Amino acid sequence: MTPEPVNAKTVANDSPVVSATAVDMFRKTSWIASVFVFAVGVLVIIGWLGSIHSLTKPFFSPVSMKVNTAIAFVLMGLSLWSLRGLTIQTLLISKALALVVALIGLLTLLEYHLNLNLGIDEALIADIPNAPMTSHPGRMSPLTAIDFVLLGIAIFVIDVEIRSKFRPSQFLAIAAGVIASMTIIGYVYGVESMLRLSQYLTAIALHTSIAFIIAAAGVIFARPDKGLMLFFVKDSPGSIMARRLFAAFAFAPLLIDAVLVAGRAAGYYDISKMFAINEILLTIIIASVFLHTARYINRLDDKRRLADNSYRVSEANVSALMNAITESVALIDLDCTLITVNDTFAMRFNKRKQEIIGKNLRDILAPVLFETRYKAIEEVIISKEHVSAEDIRAGITFVTNYYPVFDAENKVRAVVIYARDITLRKNYENYLLASLREKEALMREIHHRVKNNLQIISGLINLQLNNITDKTYAEMFTETKNRIRSIALVHNKLYQSKGLSDVDLKQYITSLTNELFHTFGINKDTIALTLDVEDVTIGIDSAVPIGLIINELFTNALKYAFPNKTAGKITISTHKKDGGEIELIISDNGIGLPEAINFKDTQSLGLHLVNILVGQIRGTIELDRTLGTKFVIRFLAD
């Protein structure tokens, strides 16, 4: 079954056209709004605590902001600020504070509706006596309570999306902003009925309305790339114009009217002049903003034209470069549609480039082959890393590489497919592997035959020993046989090893000492052997000399260190040192080497052979007579 395309719908509607600058601007505005709302609440609380009436009821507002209103603004500011963090803890804090704000508004509405006094109006600070436009001392306006309910719920459900591009939080915030705007219009034009639901109920303060508009904007701007806000942050002419003109058209008339009404009230001009000035100022402001926006859009359009020209030149260069590549190259989108290909890729399907560009891979590949390609493409999109795969088609071996193509936001937007015919290389690799296996078999056979030949020689010496009665000659033949066995054991270990050129020193020493114990008929309970051998491998050039050295020194210890078959201990250890050096120590706690014997200048064939072999491996040898006999040999590993 053919898989579904990867993120086909997301690719069409995702954010390559979103302006990161606009998103950042709106987010910062939301943070500033949270600080403003918090500061308004704090200043009003300070005004109530210090009886500073200019903070609780500024000169331009006939109504004071109540204490519980100020507390709710403080909580709302903190809730908005907490939306900055995307951690679960900060979001939970934000939602909890928002619920408290909504609860304050809801309880106040219940007080009005049921004519109750729940004790929340003057719980902290008592209102001033006979406060103007106040139905109940300390109680906020019903309009204020409704806005707190709307904005509290809006923050609580800020990340809820019912369907594509529809976020309830934004509509709730817009409703709260509209209510606050209507009250400001009431203040500007002196319509007292717009400040409260009834002449018997508390009116909303002007600075409360202003704070609500700022708070509503903060909620809407908190998620600027979601819902309705997505239109305003797109990097398109319509969205750019909307960002620049919306605020001017929405607030400029109101601000101008507020100033002009205040001037008329002060007696600077009559109503006819006020309307004339209003028209002039509106025309100037709207024309200035419109022309400035048009100029900005023209600059963007010029940049886009230059970018388009550069893109066409770049596309031509890329096309020429791709056609110069003798291997198959294609660029596909996340829906597996071919964006561009080179001539070699098109020739694989016996088509021209124009016939294949725009088609989907599933339409030109066999179903089984498409599923294989699709899995690799999906892995590239998920891992954002290069993926490589080999396959054989019609006797030809291909290696296909898939490379992710990223956009400015580090999202995978396309995938490059690069397929190369490696049949000749694979044939040569197979030839080399076959040749290597033949050589390994030959080397194994050589080691096997050398080992067998040495064992035959050892066997012949053993037969000859049966006819030798002289003890001195018998010992000489036995030592020679042991030396041959130590060499044969090296070839046996090489024959059994995987690499055919390295010997595991630990296994070799264990086997060699076991054979020597058996040769001399010594019980291990009498002479104990301690092996402290690290996992060290040595090459054949060192293995034979080291084997003979261990054979000689271990044999001497068995024969001479413990006269009259007394009990003792022999220790063999190997350790890796710095610089690739290996240290081999063979020691015993026997009677020790006589002081009169100079082991480097002696008539003993065994010790003389040891010195020759140490020089052969370019090593050093030292003798310690402190406790028995201890030979320390150091050499470099192959």
Side-chain angles (χ1 to χ4, degrees):
M1 182 178 178
T2 303
E4 290 296 322
V6 179
N7 294 334
K9 185 180 291 185
T10 304
V11 174
N13 298 322
D14 209 349
S15 59
V17 295
V18 167
S19 169
T21 303
V23 171
D24 186 59
M25 177 192 70
F26 281 118
R27 283 205 179 106
K28 287 181 178 177
T29 304
S30 176
W31 301 340
I32 293 171
S34 68
V35 174
F36 177 86
V37 172
F38 176 82
V40 168
V42 170
L43 289 174
V44 171
I45 291 173
I46 293 173
W48 280 105
L49 292 173
S51 298
I52 307 173
H53 299 300
S54 59
L55 293 179
T56 60
K57 188 174 73 69
F59 70 93
F60 49 77
S61 176
V63 188
S64 62
M65 182 188 294
K66 309 306 179 185
V67 176
N68 50 5
T69 302
I71 293 172
F73 274 131
V74 170
L75 297 177
M76 184 180 294
L78 292 173
S79 180
L80 267 176
W81 179 264
S82 300
L83 289 177
R84 296 182 63 190
L86 294 178
T87 62
I88 295 177
Q89 291 81 359
T90 55
L91 289 177
L92 287 176
I93 292 171
S94 175
K95 291 178 182 295
L97 293 173
L99 282 180
V100 174
V101 171
L103 182 62
I104 292 173
L106 185 62
L107 291 176
T108 302
L109 291 175
L110 286 175
E111 284 184 320
Y112 277 114
H113 182 67
L114 301 177
N115 196 22
L116 298 174
N117 185 356
L118 299 177
I120 63 173
D121 301 329
E122 296 180 295
L124 298 178
I125 300 174
D127 199 355
I128 59 175
N130 302 316
M133 303 178 72
T134 302
S135 61
H136 299 80
R139 184 174 299 178
M140 68 177 70
S141 167
L143 295 174
T144 303
I146 291 172
D147 267 10
F148 277 136
V149 172
L150 292 174
L151 291 176
I153 296 174
I155 297 175
F156 186 77
V157 299
I158 194 156
D159 292 312
V160 174
E161 191 167 278
I162 296 177
R163 59 179 184 271
S164 180
K165 296 184 180 180
F166 183 82
R167 295 210 162 201
S169 62
Q170 294 176 340
F171 288 93
L172 291 171
I174 289 172
V178 169
I179 292 173
S181 299
M182 290 176 62
T183 59
I184 291 177
I185 293 173
Y187 272 109
V188 170
Y189 295 106
V191 183
E192 184 178 321
S193 61
M194 297 180 70
L195 307 183
R196 47 185 174 178
L197 294 178
S198 167
Q199 62 178 337
Y200 302 108
L201 300 178
T202 302
I204 186 171
L206 178 58
H207 48 318
T208 301
S209 301
I210 294 172
F212 273 131
I213 290 179
I214 301 298
V219 173
I220 296 171
F221 296 163
R223 298 291 185 264
D225 54 346
K226 305 295 182 183
L228 294 176
M229 284 301 298
L230 185 60
F231 168 75
F232 289 91
V233 297
K234 285 186 177 180
D235 193 13
S236 59
S239 297
I240 293 171
M241 183 172 290
R243 288 198 297 270
R244 289 176 167 261
L245 298 182
F246 183 80
F249 287 171
F251 298 109
L254 187 61
L255 292 175
I256 292 172
D257 283 356
V259 173
L260 292 178
V261 168
R264 178 175 172 270
Y268 293 119
Y269 39 77
D270 57 20
I271 190 168
S272 59
K273 287 184 180 180
M274 184 185 77
F275 282 122
I277 296 171
N278 181 54
E279 292 296 327
I280 293 171
L281 290 177
L282 277 178
T283 302
I284 292 173
I285 292 174
I286 292 174
S288 299
V289 174
F290 182 81
L291 291 174
H292 182 69
T293 303
R295 183 182 177 187
Y296 178 75
I297 292 175
N298 282 338
R299 287 202 304 268
L300 290 180
D301 189 57
D302 291 339
K303 290 180 180 179
R304 282 199 175 97
R305 290 176 186 274
L306 291 174
D308 288 341
N309 292 334
S310 299
Y311 175 76
R312 291 190 185 96
V313 173
S314 175
E315 189 177 24
N317 293 335
V318 170
S319 179
L321 179 62
M322 288 178 64
N323 289 328
I325 299 174
T326 58
E327 310 297 346
S328 299
V329 182
L331 178 66
I332 65 170
D333 63 15
L334 304 191
D335 195 21
C336 298
T337 300
L338 292 164
I339 299 173
T340 185
V341 301
N342 68 346
D343 291 333
T344 307
F345 187 93
M347 289 172 59
R348 297 282 184 197
F349 301 94
N350 297 319
K351 295 181 181 294
R352 292 179 300 171
K353 286 174 57 175
Q354 294 76 9
E355 296 175 334
I356 203 170
I357 291 176
K359 289 185 176 294
N360 199 286
L361 278 182
R362 67 170 58 83
D363 298 328
I364 61 175
L365 295 177
V368 176
L369 188 58
F370 174 74
E371 287 190 14
T372 304
R373 295 284 184 272
Y374 180 83
K375 288 179 181 178
I377 293 167
E378 192 176 41
E379 184 179 347
V380 170
I381 295 171
I382 295 172
S383 66
K384 296 185 178 182
E385 294 180 353
H386 156 252
V387 173
S388 181
E390 285 188 15
D391 59 274
I392 300 175
R393 285 173 273 157
I396 301 176
T397 304
F398 288 94
V399 59
T400 306
N401 294 283
Y402 304 85
Y403 300 93
V405 178
F406 300 97
D407 61 9
E409 298 177 358
N410 200 34
K411 294 181 179 179
V412 178
R413 290 300 172 191
V415 177
V416 173
I417 301 176
Y418 175 69
R420 189 155 52 97
D421 183 351
I422 59 168
T423 306
L424 290 177
R425 193 189 79 184
K426 295 297 291 186
N427 290 341
Y428 188 61
E429 285 179 359
N430 292 334
Y431 167 76
L432 291 177
L433 288 172
S435 177
L436 181 61
R437 282 193 290 268
E438 290 177 3
K439 288 180 172 59
E440 286 181 351
L442 180 60
M443 288 296 295
R444 203 175 294 279
E445 182 64 21
I446 289 173
H447 287 308
H448 185 58
R449 295 194 178 209
V450 169
K451 179 203 72 170
N452 288 345
N453 291 336
L454 290 173
Q455 285 180 339
I456 290 172
I457 295 172
S458 178
L460 292 173
I461 292 175
N462 205 40
L463 290 173
Q464 189 66 41
L465 275 170
N466 295 331
N467 299 322
I468 296 176
T469 57
D470 188 287
K471 185 177 179 181
T472 301
Y473 290 115
E475 288 182 356
M476 291 173 59
F477 273 89
T478 299
E479 291 174 358
T480 301
K481 181 186 71 172
N482 290 338
R483 290 168 185 144
I484 293 172
R485 273 188 177 180
S486 69
I487 299 173
L489 186 59
V490 170
H491 287 280
N492 185 45
K493 294 299 179 185
L494 289 169
Y495 171 72
Q496 295 174 352
S497 68
K498 294 181 180 180
L500 299 176
S501 59
D502 295 322
V503 174
D504 187 315
L505 199 54
K506 186 173 184 178
Q507 293 181 0
Y508 177 78
I509 292 174
T510 302
S511 300
L512 180 60
T513 52
N514 286 337
E515 288 193 10
L516 290 174
F517 269 117
H518 177 72
T519 298
F520 289 102
I522 296 175
N523 191 337
K524 289 186 179 180
D525 293 334
T526 304
I527 299 178
L529 174 63
T530 301
L531 295 180
D532 180 18
V533 183
E534 292 183 1
D535 291 328
V536 177
T537 57
I538 56 176
I540 189 172
D541 291 338
S542 299
V544 172
I546 291 297
L548 289 171
I549 290 170
I550 295 173
N551 177 78
E552 295 301 325
L553 297 179
F554 189 74
T555 299
N556 285 347
L558 289 176
K559 289 171 61 178
Y560 305 117
F562 310 103
N564 301 323
K565 296 184 179 181
T566 56
K569 182 175 74 170
I570 300 175
T571 302
I572 300 177
S573 65
T574 59
H575 297 284
K576 293 179 181 178
K577 299 296 182 180
D578 295 337
E581 188 179 61
I582 297 176
E583 182 182 73
L584 169 65
I585 300 175
I586 303 174
S587 62
D588 63 72
N589 62 349
I591 61 175
L593 196 67
E595 293 288 343
I597 296 178
N598 181 1
F599 78 97
K600 291 190 176 181
D601 184 16
T602 178
Q603 299 300 316
S604 169
L605 176 61
L607 289 177
H608 184 64
L609 183 61
V610 167
N611 283 291
I612 293 174
L613 293 170
V614 170
Q616 183 177 329
I617 60 175
R618 298 186 298 278
T620 61
I621 183 170
E622 299 174 0
L623 173 61
D624 182 1
R625 291 186 171 95
T626 306
L627 297 172
T629 303
K630 178 180 179 181
F631 284 97
V632 181
I633 300 161
R634 296 183 181 90
F635 62 96
L636 290 174
D638 293 342

